[in-house]
Amino acid sequence: MRIGELLGSGRSADVYALDDEWVLRHYRDGMDATHEWMVMSYLGAHGFPVPRLGPRDAETPPCDLVLQRLTGPTMLESLLAGEVSAADAAAVLAGLLAELHTVPARLSPDPEDRILHLDLHPDNVMLTDRGPVVIDWSNTREGVPAADRAMTSLILAQAAVDPGFPAPADARALLDELLPHFSASGGIPAHHLTEAVAHRAADPATGPQEVALIDRAASLIVDLTA
């Protein structure tokens, strides 16, 4: 496998070109991506829009994933460029979560549990010519859909109250448009928002400045859903 140019870097992983069809996602800390691969494979088989998966065998390092090379901007890039409205982006995000939560849990015997993304925000949605595709499944687990709605809302609320975010007003507008969709799907029970706050605060990838804004972000959600 010949690794090509670095295409992008996130908080925990780098993405390299392999060729025109495939990319390599490499976790810098050596995190085992096997679970992520299995969840994406399962979702793909159920028709949910995830990148196609390349081969994974005994010779594949546990920290690597070979994924379909996607063409198109992220939803965040399109929002910041004014190419997508907050209302349209909210409808897409809500629709993706609703579709995801129709997929039965892969492992849990609880009939209420579903596959959760737990990091679904505009920078993790690629707008391709075949429609939106959800990327970065490193936080995925199984549970009730309200946990996913709470986490997505909290992430957007943090951006909305963060003066260092490139466009906090755009994040607030998106949150304002998204919460009514979530209310129609069952809302965000208080204990799930509390769990999301604790999870974000304990996440090593969450910086000190972000941690300092979590309570304010949670309060914004409470105010907007009251």
Side-chain angles (χ1 to χ4, degrees), residues 11-142:
R11 298 191 182 204
S12 60
D14 300 313
V15 178
Y16 297 90
L18 294 178
D19 54 32
D20 291 339
E21 186 176 1
W22 300 102
V23 298
L24 178 74
R25 180 179 173 87
H26 171 76
Y27 284 104
R28 293 187 294 272
D29 63 358
M31 183 179 79
D32 191 339
T34 302
H35 174 68
E36 186 176 351
W37 188 93
M38 293 177 72
V39 170
M40 292 177 67
S41 178
Y42 178 78
L43 289 171
H46 279 77
F48 188 78
V50 296
R52 287 187 292 115
L53 292 163
R56 187 173 179 82
D57 54 35
E59 297 182 1
T60 303
C63 56
D64 289 350
L65 287 171
V66 176
L67 303 169
Q68 174 191 11
R69 185 169 185 171
L70 300 173
T71 301
T74 66
M75 179 184 285
L76 178 60
E77 290 170 337
S78 291
L79 278 166
L80 295 178
E83 298 167 349
V84 173
S85 69
D88 287 344
V92 171
L93 283 176
L96 286 169
L97 278 179
E99 181 181 355
L100 175 62
H101 299 154
T102 66
V103 180
R106 186 174 66 92
L107 300 173
S108 173
D110 189 330
E112 300 299 317
D113 283 350
R114 296 291 187 267
I115 303 291
L116 306 180
H117 187 278
L118 294 177
D119 197 24
L120 188 60
H121 54 76
D123 211 25
N124 278 338
V125 178
M126 297 285 293
L127 302 180
T128 75
D129 57 4
R130 69 180 180 100
V133 178
V134 180
I135 61 173
D136 191 355
W137 291 85
S138 58
N139 291 335
T140 184
R141 63 173 175 83
E142 297 177 358

Side-chain angles (χ1 to χ4, degrees), residues 150-173:
M151 186 61 76
T152 288
S153 300
L154 183 61
I155 292 169
L156 291 176
Q158 281 184 266
V161 300
D162 184 357
F165 184 70
D170 289 343
R172 171 61 187 269

